[in-house]
């Protein structure tokens, strides 16, 4: 639903790579809108570092970032994990979104949320 | 890969550019998948009904699996065979010409005050002006421009090489942002500018950039390396940087 769930940008490289994210996460009720950027390589055409959730492909696996923003109050996301598999990305995303859902204020974007609580505090609850 | 003069075409191997010494984008590895993508530029992100109809006819004729909307406000034609690139280009009615030197890669603009209730300034008019002033200027590296008509920054102006966003009293100009693999939030050059003042200041920034940047050095890398006080002195205003 508008304002309550995620939308994604993808690079052209692996257009089918994470399309199933939509199937898993659409319908999730969240405190504010979530923008997801999926990039198949470190060029980051999906602008992953300035999205609420960023996923970047490298040779050894995926990087997952959280808390980016490219709007009025920009923020470069924090890296949560490196060199992980696709299944591990999905697991991590579920944990991130559950933690965000349980602890963010209404309409609080992930960038503002991480500025308030700190990424280290969030990491304690993810691993 | 080659760039055409009349409107920018970027032809890439699926996700990678070719080993081409003339390539402005540098040398990269070839992908296993030898299909190509064509990314014709749009005019400020506008796509007309006629263009969509042409695209559809081309796609059916050449068995194009799909189009893709890109972050540069283009419609990428994905997955065609290498031999058909030129043909597709001609069928779209695009002109060809000598390769354009690296410079303004694209100008994104939001619908602006004319089309959006949040718009505070005319982003489309400024995009037009900026394109005319700097569109053909050779620059050290590709330079991406984002023009947002309000502070919501739908064109992500803070993470563009040249970012401009509108407020009630005028434009704010940002320089040296990057939204890619090595991100940087741009430096605020000045606020409350008229459109003409934006053009002047962009000219000053680009002038300094041309004279001092290394080849293929993006503005974000350049600004990280540059002493900010020297930059303010040379462009004639004192802005704000968070670095």
């Amino acid at each position: 639903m508008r304002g309550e769930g995620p939308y994604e940008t993808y690079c052209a490289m692996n257009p089918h790579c994470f399309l199933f994210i939509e199937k898993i996460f659409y319908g999730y009720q969240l405190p504010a809108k979530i923008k997801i950027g999926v990039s198949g390589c470190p060029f980051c055409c999906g602008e992953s570092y300035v999205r609420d959730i960023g996923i970047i492909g490298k040779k050894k696996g995926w990087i997952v970032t959280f808390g980016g923003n490219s709007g009025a109050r920009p923020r470069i996301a924090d890296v949560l994990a490196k060199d992980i598999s696709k299944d591990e990305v999905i697991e991590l995303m579920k944990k991130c979104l559950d933690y965000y859902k349980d602890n963010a204020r209404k309409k609080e974007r992930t960038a503002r949320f991480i500025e308030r609580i700190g990424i280290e505090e969030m990491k304690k609850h993810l691993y | 890969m080659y760039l055409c003069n009349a409107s920018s075409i970027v032809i890439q191997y699926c996700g990678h550019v070719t080993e081409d010494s003339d390539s402005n984008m540098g040398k990269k590895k070839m992908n296993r998948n030898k299909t190509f993508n064509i990314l014709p530029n749009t005019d400020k992100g506008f796509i007309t009904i006629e263009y969509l109809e042409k695209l559809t006819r081309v796609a059916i004729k050449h068995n194009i699996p799909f189009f893709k909307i890109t972050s540069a406000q283009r419609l990428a034609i994905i997955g065609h065979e290498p031999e058909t690139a030129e043909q597709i280009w001609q069928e779209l009615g695009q002109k060809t010409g000598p390769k354009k030197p690296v410079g303004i890669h694209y100008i994104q603009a939001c619908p602006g005050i004319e089309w959006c209730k949040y718009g505070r300034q005319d982003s489309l008019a400024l995009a037009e002006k900026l394109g005319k002033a700097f569109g053909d200027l050779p620059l050290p590296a590709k330079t991406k421009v984002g023009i947002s008509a309000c502070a919501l920054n739908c064109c992500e102006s803070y993470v563009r090489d040249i970012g401009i966003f509108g407020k009630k009293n005028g434009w704010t100009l940002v320089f040296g942002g990057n939204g890619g693999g090595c991100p940087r939030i741009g430096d605020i050059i000045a606020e409350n500018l008229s459109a003409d003042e934006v053009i002047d200041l962009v000219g000053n920034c680009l002038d300094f950039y041309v004279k001092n940047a290394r080849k293929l050095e993006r503005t974000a890398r350049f600004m990280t390396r540059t002493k900010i006080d020297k930059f303010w002195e040379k462009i004639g205003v004192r802005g704000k940087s968070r670095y």
Side-chain angles (χ1 to χ4, degrees):
Chain A
M1 285 168 71
R2 190 178 172 80
E4 289 178 324
Y7 81 67
E8 302 85 23
T9 56
Y10 300 92
C11 68
M13 279 192 69
N14 286 312
H16 304 291
C17 196
F18 271 101
L19 278 175
F20 58 85
I21 280 179
E22 299 183 6
K23 291 187 182 133
I24 297 171
F25 294 108
Y26 266 165
Y28 256 50
Q29 299 288 308
L30 294 165
K33 67 182 165 193
I34 291 274
K35 300 184 183 186
I36 302 175
V38 184
S39 307
C41 83
F43 278 156
C44 267
C45 295
E47 300 184 316
S48 307
Y49 283 107
V50 289
R51 295 280 175 268
D52 296 280
I53 295 176
I55 303 167
I56 303 147
K58 286 184 109 170
K59 196 170 158 187
K60 288 185 185 172
W62 298 96
I63 297 170
V64 174
T65 67
F66 191 86
N69 192 290
S70 60
R73 293 166 63 193
R75 184 178 186 276
I76 293 165
D78 296 290
V79 173
L80 288 184
K82 286 184 184 179
D83 299 339
I84 61 174
S85 69
K86 207 154 72 170
D87 289 339
E88 286 169 322
V89 169
I90 299 302
E91 275 315 300
L92 183 55
M93 276 181 71
K94 282 181 184 166
K95 286 181 189 170
C96 285
L97 291 177
D98 283 341
Y99 183 78
Y100 172 60
K101 188 168 54 168
D102 293 338
N103 294 279
R105 296 169 182 156
K106 195 180 166 186
K107 301 282 187 201
E108 189 179 37
R109 297 288 301 274
T110 59
R112 310 288 82 84
F113 174 59
I114 296 299
E115 279 168 354
R116 181 167 63 83
I117 65 145
I119 194 68
E120 294 306 321
E121 180 60 31
M122 181 169 172
K123 278 180 180 175
K124 282 182 205 166
H125 296 87
L126 295 179
Y127 306 118
Chain B
M1 186 203 82
Y2 55 88
L3 296 174
C4 289
N5 196 29
S7 59
S8 291
I9 173 180
V10 177
I11 297 186
Q12 299 174 325
Y13 275 106
C14 192
H16 292 279
V17 299
T18 62
E19 285 279 351
D20 178 358
S21 57
D22 288 333
S23 164
N24 283 329
M25 296 182 70
K27 295 183 181 181
K28 301 285 185 285
K29 289 183 187 171
M30 250 206 282
N31 200 10
R32 284 191 298 269
N33 178 344
K34 289 185 170 53
T35 61
F36 278 77
N37 311 325
I38 297 178
L39 293 82
N41 250 1
T42 58
D43 174 26
K44 300 185 280 294
F46 285 110
I47 293 183
T48 61
I49 307 298
E50 293 77 17
Y51 183 58
L52 264 181
E53 284 177 338
K54 237 189 253 184
L55 272 178
T56 309
R57 282 195 294 273
V58 160
I60 291 168
K61 182 176 172 185
H62 295 283
N63 297 314
I64 301 296
F66 51 81
F67 303 124
K68 181 94 175 49
I69 299 171
T70 75
S71 59
Q73 294 183 335
R74 298 181 182 128
L75 266 184
I77 302 162
I78 302 279
H80 68 86
E81 296 302 319
E83 308 79 46
T84 55
E86 189 69 39
Q87 207 180 337
I88 291 173
W89 193 246
Q90 302 294 344
E91 285 169 15
L92 288 176
Q94 303 283 358
K95 298 175 200 161
T96 55
K99 197 167 80 167
K100 195 179 146 188
V102 71
I104 299 285
H105 197 61
Y106 60 65
I107 299 177
Q108 288 175 317
C110 72
I113 197 167
E114 195 179 338
W115 299 100
C116 175
K117 68 179 182 183
Y118 299 115
R120 290 286 168 268
Q121 302 288 337
D122 193 343
S123 47
L124 297 174
L126 182 57
E128 187 74 28
K129 249 186 170 153
L130 219 126
K132 285 196 173 120
F134 305 111
D136 293 328
L137 182 69
L139 295 168
K142 75 178 164 193
T143 300
K144 300 182 181 184
V145 183
I147 304 176
S148 312
C150 81
L152 287 175
N153 267 282
C154 293
C155 280
E156 304 179 319
S157 306
Y158 273 111
V159 290
R160 297 281 174 263
D161 298 277
I162 296 170
I164 307 161
F165 62 91
K167 288 182 170 180
K168 192 173 146 194
N169 293 330
W171 296 103
T172 299
L173 173 62
V174 172
F175 188 79
N178 191 290
C182 197
R184 184 179 187 275
I185 294 164
D187 304 305
I188 296 174
I189 305 298
E191 297 175 277
N192 301 325
L193 301 168
S194 68
D196 288 337
E197 286 168 334
V198 167
I199 301 293
D200 283 344
L201 267 178
V202 167
N204 293 355
C205 292
L206 290 179
D207 192 50
F208 186 81
Y209 175 51
V210 163
K211 287 174 177 158
N212 295 281
R214 296 166 185 154
K215 194 180 170 187
L216 297 180
E217 188 178 35
R218 297 286 303 274
T219 60
R221 310 288 78 82
F222 172 66
M223 291 304 289
T224 302
R225 182 170 68 82
T226 297
K227 286 191 171 36
I228 195 73
D229 288 331
K230 184 179 174 193
F231 182 70
W232 300 141
E233 185 199 322
K234 290 296 177 187
I235 66 164
V237 294
R238 187 163 199 88
K240 286 179 263 190
S241 173
R242 59 176 70 198
Y243 299 102

